[in-house]
Amino acid sequence: MKSKTSSGSKNLTASGKVLRVRNAALGDIPSIEALSKRVYKGTGIDPYTRAELRGQLNYFPEGKFVVTLDDDVVGYCATFRISSEIGLKPHTWESITADGFGSRHDPQGEWLYGMEVCVDKEVRGYRIGQRLYNARKKLCESLGLKGIVFVGRLPGLSRRIRRYGSADAYLDAVVNKTARDPVLSFQLHNGFEVLSLVPGYLVTDLDSMGYGVHLVWRNPKIDSAASDAHIKRYGGRQPDTVRVGTVQYMQRRVHSFSEFMSFVEYFVDVVADYKADFVVFPELITLQLLSIEDQELTPIESIEALTKYTPRFKEAMQDLAVRYNINIIGGSHPTRVPNGRVENISYVFHRDGRIDEQAKIHPTPNEVFWWNIEGGSDLNVIDTDCGPIGVLVCYDSEFPELSRHLVNQGAEILFVPFCTDERQSYLRVRYCCQARAVENQIYVVMSGNVGNLPNVANMDIQYAQSCILTPCDFHFARDGIAADTTPNVETVAIADLRPEALRIARNSGTVQNLRDRRHDLYQMKWRGK
């Protein structure tokens, strides 16, 4: 596999561009050709010609993917199907790929062969390669293939051959994690296992000294042979799940916006390392920024100070979502909207660069009294790459009509960032969220604050036990709790949620709350947009 990712520092989100993964089309060929030239310049590896790219796309179009930044192609991935007899035996790049044309594609092949992954050097750090590997795995699973096989590069070999003495010794060091190779270490982290070292795989690859590493990833939906017992079998991710991480976040004094974002980024990084689809932060997380001030501000001064952070907060969170390839429910942030009102808004930062928002509909009496926060009027589902979701900020979860309105629009996961000062307040939110999960047969994810913020009005103490709730039926956890946390400590809870389980429960569960509604007696009518 010809694969190279070079360094760079472009900020993808600063200009508002959108990052997408999609199947490649013939119209992308000039852009892929140009990308190939940029990536392989100076490596000794020949870039692809347009003829080769046409062959790759024509033989197996569903196995070719591009990552686009608006109209620019910044990543390319090529695969084709191959039989065990060919793909699992030692081979060269030219022989397996038919000199780069991909014409060895076998429609009956039981393995997916990874022919190419290349990423623009200007977008390194945004997990473009990870997105392309994820697309490969989804394709493999959807086709019911045994797994993915390819020969990867060893670009660190030429620089370290004197230290290790041989390619075999260098390979052992990388596998045993005493050395790191920029390509192989990434592939091992993605669940691939080493079959063998392949000398002469791609002789023009000067960095790898012509060597390649024969690697395989086995489809978790397909039973593995008993001889594979040494493969890592824990921490796996089922392909039909949505993985969610909720952050129980500790409020403590910070001295700068950068320090605040470093705490947030830590948890984004942690949850992203578990390959989650969503990470959720608590309501009013940005009130921590008021602790930067040397003296306590009046409530009006506090809100004015906070609203000035809105552009920086949105830009920084958007960048994290794209950089770590994870959707972020950004808690909530008091925001001055164009008509001059201050609303408590939860921003949803998509991993493709989009930003959606949901204002809190019902401010609490405290929010109205202290900060003059007003309620929003719009409530709509937010379309994500994991399906439609809903967001209700804290107190809104205590109004069942709101959840029903979102479920009527198709929401299957409801995110509830909350901020409560003591246990009674918390339990009001918790019990209502559990009720919303049962009556709507949905998943509900709660994320709350702990700790304290001296000199910040109305944020003196916090109480939380964040959790991920389910309906109560045989398809779910016995107590309706997929995951929860220890109260009042900073931590994370993670769970895999199966949308299919909701559909089964709604259609054939012990009780069928949605199906059994008496539309002849009552209805929920929304007067807003």
Side-chain angles (χ1 to χ4, degrees), residues 429-494:
V429 180
R430 171 66 176 262
Y431 291 152
C432 288
C433 284
Q434 188 75 73
R436 303 297 84 87
V438 170
E439 67 199 14
N440 293 294
Q441 295 179 290
I442 57 173
Y443 298 113
V444 181
V445 184
M446 299 176 59
S447 175
N449 295 296
V450 298
N452 55 76
L453 282 178
N455 293 327
V456 177
N458 203 34
M459 286 289 284
D460 305 296
I461 57 174
Q462 311 299 318
Y463 183 95
Q465 185 180 17
S466 304
C467 55
I468 302 171
L469 306 172
T470 75
C472 293
D473 209 337
F474 291 114
H475 301 92
F476 310 98
R478 185 182 64 178
D479 53 4
I481 304 171
D484 60 5
T485 64
T486 301
N488 274 6
V489 297
E490 188 170 53
T491 187
V492 173
I494 299 175

Side-chain angles (χ1 to χ4, degrees), residues 104-379:
R104 295 291 297 273
H105 170 63
D106 177 359
Q108 304 302 316
E110 61 269 37
W111 290 84
L112 195 66
Y113 190 88
M115 173 179 171
E116 175 66 54
V117 168
C118 62
V119 176
D120 194 307
K121 64 181 181 180
E122 294 295 325
V123 293
R124 185 178 181 183
Y126 285 87
R127 305 197 180 196
I128 306 299
Q130 183 67 65
R131 297 167 200 260
L132 292 170
Y133 271 69
N134 291 347
R136 273 184 178 176
K137 290 179 178 180
K138 288 182 179 179
L139 175 63
C140 177
E141 290 161 352
S142 68
L143 295 174
L145 304 182
K146 290 183 176 180
I148 302 171
V149 62
F150 65 88
V151 177
R153 301 178 63 234
L154 281 172
L157 178 60
S158 62
R159 300 192 306 272
R160 299 181 178 178
I161 189 67
R162 289 187 178 180
R163 175 180 177 183
Y164 290 97
S166 69
D168 286 287
Y170 177 67
L171 174 60
D172 288 341
V174 175
V175 170
N176 292 321
K177 299 182 181 179
T178 58
R180 187 183 184 281
D181 184 90
V183 172
L184 180 58
S185 296
F186 168 75
Q187 291 158 345
L188 295 175
H189 180 70
N190 271 274
F192 286 85
E193 62 168 302
V194 174
L195 296 180
S196 65
L197 185 68
V198 182
Y201 173 70
L202 184 61
V203 294
T204 57
D205 184 358
L206 304 180
D207 290 340
S208 304
M209 301 179 66
Y211 283 94
V213 182
H214 206 173
L215 296 159
V216 66
W217 174 83
R218 303 180 192 275
N219 186 348
K221 284 190 168 183
I222 305 296
D223 289 338
S224 299
S227 60
D228 294 334
H230 64 284
I231 301 173
K232 176 184 173 182
R233 298 186 182 278
Y234 56 89
R237 167 74 182 276
Q238 292 300 311
D240 57 348
T241 60
V242 176
R243 180 164 290 180
V244 175
T246 178
V247 178
Q248 189 158 286
Y249 185 84
M250 177 170 287
Q251 295 284 346
R252 74 280 240 176
R253 185 173 186 183
V254 294
H255 298 88
S256 66
F257 181 82
S258 297
E259 184 182 9
F260 164 71
M261 286 306 305
S262 71
F263 290 132
V264 174
E265 182 173 6
Y266 170 81
F267 286 106
V268 172
D269 188 7
V270 166
V271 178
D273 277 347
Y274 283 90
K275 297 181 172 55
D277 299 294
F278 292 94
V279 57
V280 192
F281 288 94
E283 178 189 23
L284 297 175
I285 185 175
T286 56
L287 260 70
Q288 189 175 24
L289 294 168
L290 296 178
S291 67
I292 296 173
E293 307 296 333
D294 291 329
Q295 60 186 11
E296 183 172 356
L297 302 177
T298 67
I300 298 301
E301 291 172 335
S302 297
I303 287 301
E304 287 303 317
L306 270 184
T307 57
K308 293 177 182 178
Y309 284 106
T310 301
R312 292 178 68 188
F313 175 68
K314 291 174 66 176
E315 181 180 346
M317 295 292 279
Q318 181 188 37
D319 184 67
L320 290 182
V322 178
R323 187 178 296 277
Y324 286 95
N325 189 27
I326 191 169
N327 300 304
I328 302 175
I329 312 297
S332 76
H333 172 68
T335 302
R336 189 170 295 282
V337 297
N339 62 10
R341 295 156 44 102
V342 176
E343 297 180 355
N344 187 3
I345 295 178
S346 178
Y347 293 97
V348 176
F349 303 93
H350 299 260
R351 51 185 159 196
D352 65 4
R354 291 178 293 130
I355 302 177
D356 280 300
E357 61 184 61
Q358 176 59 61
K360 191 172 186 177
I361 305 297
H362 300 91
T364 62
N366 264 346
E367 289 174 273
V368 175
F369 176 81
W370 286 98
W371 300 314
N372 293 325
I373 287 179
E374 299 184 60
S377 301
D378 297 331
L379 182 66

